[in-house]
Amino acid sequence: MKLKGQQLIIFGLPRFDSKIESTNYTIAKMLARDNQVFYVEHPFTIKDYMRLRNEPENEKRKGYHDVFDDKVIDTDNPNFKVIIPPVLLSINFLPEGFLFRSLLKINELLIRAKLQRIIRKFNIKDFIFINSFNFHYPGLMDGLHPKLTAYHCVDPIIVPFDARHGQVSENQLLRKSDIVFCTARQLYNQSKKLNANTYFIPNAADVTHSQKALDPTLPVVSVLKDIKKPIIGYFGNIERRMDYVMLEEVIKMNTDKSFVFVGPMDKSYIPDWFFNAPNVHFTGSVPYSEMPAVIKGFNVALLPFKRDEVSSTIFPLKLFEYLGAGKPLVSINFNDDLKEFTNDEVAFCSNAAAFSDAINEALKTDNEEKRQARIQVAADNTWEKRVTQISELLAAELAKK
């Protein structure tokens, strides 16, 4: 039985106006179809506030940071509202220990004080509290008295800023939550050691969005217009997860093809060679709303993440977005979980030669039958199906209370 007519407070790591589509915010919006959901975004610290004080991000939040008010941001769905937390002390630079944990309790107290005002204003009772990977504030739920608590683990904690205190905080969350959801089997195996009531629910895709690429009247995005075909493309963040060593080999093997990377770049990770290669193109960021027009311009899509301990826990959203657009997909075999959900419709490769062969095979053999098979894989892995799973598990857990 699905969760229906309940009140939920979801404390998420992504901010509501993030340029990148996130698992956390997507699931929160979809749970609001049948329930009243209050999405609490990641707080600004004093350092964030000063850095962004003249930026559009801060303008949108003016008048909402006050710890003593109970205002919320309305959305297109009257059942889905966004809460802007108060500005908090900047404490992450401190070493793990008594001082850090004491100041963290003050920060949590400030957020909780605001939430308590909103709880009173909207008459929120017997609610479900979901910490959606905002492991930085493990004690926030204490004192709010939710009827049910859940933790949603969507990634490993690897970024140095997060890792400084994150593992200690996440372990606290795992132990105290009534139920835990993980997006990768390795995360599930790790989390289950601390909480037996843990479930593996992988990421999915907004297939209705990516399938816009199938519309014959949709023009290809302008940044791809003048690039020579065939285009072997990637849409997403261009950063540490990419296997630049294998990519360099593949690119040198295929000088007759254009390798296009669409998205924000972290240049500290990208080797200089890539910026000088004649068949490599970086377009810069393109809004997620234009993702179908980007993917439509690809002849073959790529998932070039390196295989390591971190990537084995990554279940990328773009996997099913590419497939939902019917595109051939060639991937490094970085996470064995993915094969279970793709019905042999994706080429998973362990070396550059296999990767190059798979690209050329896809270009030669792509046809309507294969496109439909990929679209079906995506249709079997939609957010609707994943959120239904989460909803049913929450409802079952709530019934035990």
Side-chain angles (χ1 to χ4, degrees):
M1 185 175 69
K2 282 176 67 176
L3 198 69
K4 205 162 189 174
Q6 300 294 326
Q7 293 177 307
L8 291 82
I9 295 176
I10 300 179
F11 184 35
L13 188 61
R15 297 203 169 105
F16 81 94
D17 54 352
S18 172
K19 293 176 183 176
I20 299 171
E21 192 74 2
S22 68
T23 296
N24 322 65
Y25 196 63
T26 297
I27 288 176
K29 286 191 294 185
M30 294 190 71
L31 285 169
R33 292 177 180 179
D34 296 313
N35 304 276
Q36 186 179 34
V37 173
F38 294 84
Y39 183 82
V40 187
E41 70 164 18
H42 187 58
F44 279 27
T45 62
I46 294 171
K47 183 179 177 181
D48 296 328
Y49 186 84
M50 296 305 294
R51 178 173 56 88
L52 298 170
R53 63 187 180 278
N54 297 318
E55 299 297 323
E57 294 98 317
N58 201 35
E59 283 297 316
K60 292 180 188 176
R61 292 164 175 81
K62 274 191 176 175
Y64 289 97
H65 283 298
D66 193 340
V67 69
F68 297 110
D69 74 38
D70 54 14
K71 289 188 292 188
V72 299
I73 295 176
D74 291 319
T75 69
D76 293 341
N77 179 352
N79 278 334
F80 186 64
K81 301 181 186 301
V82 175
I83 297 172
I84 308 299
V87 177
L88 305 180
L89 301 170
S90 303
I91 62 172
N92 200 69
F93 69 93
L94 292 168
E96 179 59 47
F98 177 77
L99 178 59
F100 171 79
R101 292 289 155 183
S102 297
L103 292 174
L104 178 60
K105 286 181 181 177
I106 294 173
N107 278 348
E108 289 172 336
L109 180 66
L110 291 170
I111 306 172
R112 193 183 302 123
K114 180 159 190 171
L115 290 181
Q116 286 168 335
R117 286 179 169 81
I118 291 169
I119 285 169
R120 287 194 293 272
K121 177 180 179 178
F122 289 93
N123 195 30
I124 302 172
K125 295 178 180 176
D126 297 330
F127 65 95
I128 298 169
F129 182 91
I130 301 176
N131 183 306
S132 191
F133 201 54
N134 204 329
F135 48 84
H136 296 288
Y137 302 93
L140 179 59
M141 66 181 80
D142 305 339
L144 290 176
H145 309 296
K147 190 166 185 181
L148 179 71
T149 59
Y151 177 56
H152 192 195
C153 180
V154 304
D155 268 321
I157 297 173
I158 52 164
V159 177
F161 179 90
D162 295 338
R164 189 173 184 87
H165 303 287
Q167 202 57 67
V168 173
S169 294
E170 185 176 61
N171 287 349
Q172 291 178 13
L173 273 167
L174 287 167
R175 289 189 182 99
K176 69 170 64 173
S177 297
D178 294 315
I179 188 168
V180 175
F181 307 110
C182 298
T183 59
R185 201 174 297 280
Q186 187 172 320
L187 293 173
Y188 161 81
N189 291 334
Q190 293 167 355
S191 300
K192 202 165 179 66
K193 294 173 185 175
L194 295 177
N195 190 319
N197 200 25
T198 296
Y199 296 86
F200 169 41
I201 299 181
N203 283 332
D206 181 359
V207 175
T208 57
H209 186 48
S210 62
Q211 283 185 344
K212 293 172 187 173
L214 302 171
D215 181 354
T217 66
L218 179 73
V220 171
V221 70
S222 60
V223 293
L224 300 183
K225 241 184 356 182
D226 299 323
I227 296 176
K228 178 187 168 187
K229 288 187 176 291
I231 291 176
I232 317 303
Y234 170 85
F235 180 88
N237 290 329
I238 304 153
E239 30 82 349
R240 64 158 297 282
R241 295 179 296 179
M242 314 277 270
D243 191 336
Y244 296 104
V245 174
M246 188 187 292
L247 276 173
E248 183 173 350
E249 289 185 63
V250 172
I251 289 164
K252 286 180 175 178
M253 291 177 187
N254 294 274
T255 54
D256 58 327
K257 303 173 185 68
S258 297
F259 288 80
V260 180
F261 299 88
V262 181
M265 291 186 291
D266 187 336
K267 291 185 179 180
S268 63
Y269 290 105
I270 305 171
D272 292 340
W273 182 91
F274 281 83
F275 296 107
N276 301 316
N279 61 330
V280 173
H281 305 266
F282 295 96
T283 69
S285 297
V286 172
Y288 181 75
S289 60
E290 294 183 33
M291 179 263 287
V294 172
I295 296 178
K296 185 173 183 177
F298 294 169
N299 297 98
V300 177
L302 299 181
L303 267 179
F305 296 161
K306 59 187 173 186
R307 186 178 177 94
D308 59 18
E309 187 179 347
V310 173
S311 63
S312 64
T313 64
I314 296 170
F315 206 108
L317 306 185
K318 59 182 65 65
L319 171 70
F320 298 120
E321 290 175 339
Y322 288 147
L323 295 176
K327 292 295 175 179
L329 174 56
V330 178
S331 174
I332 294 173
N333 62 341
F334 60 89
N335 182 350
D336 294 332
D337 290 351
L338 307 187
K339 295 177 184 177
E340 180 184 341
F341 295 89
T342 49
N343 294 351
D344 296 323
E345 297 300 332
V346 177
F348 292 101
C349 308
S350 58
N351 57 59
F355 203 96
S356 178
D357 289 345
I359 289 172
N360 285 290
E361 181 69 14
L363 289 170
K364 281 190 290 187
T365 62
D366 190 24
N367 57 41
E368 185 59 28
E369 183 181 351
K370 291 187 176 185
R371 281 191 285 277
Q372 290 304 319
R374 296 177 202 121
I375 291 166
Q376 185 56 53
V377 168
D380 292 336
N381 292 276
T382 62
W383 279 124
E384 283 81 2
K385 294 189 176 185
R386 297 288 193 267
V387 173
T388 295
Q389 286 179 273
I390 291 172
S391 179
E392 288 173 348
L393 287 167
L394 288 172
E397 200 64 30
L398 195 61
K400 298 176 188 175
K401 294 288 181 177

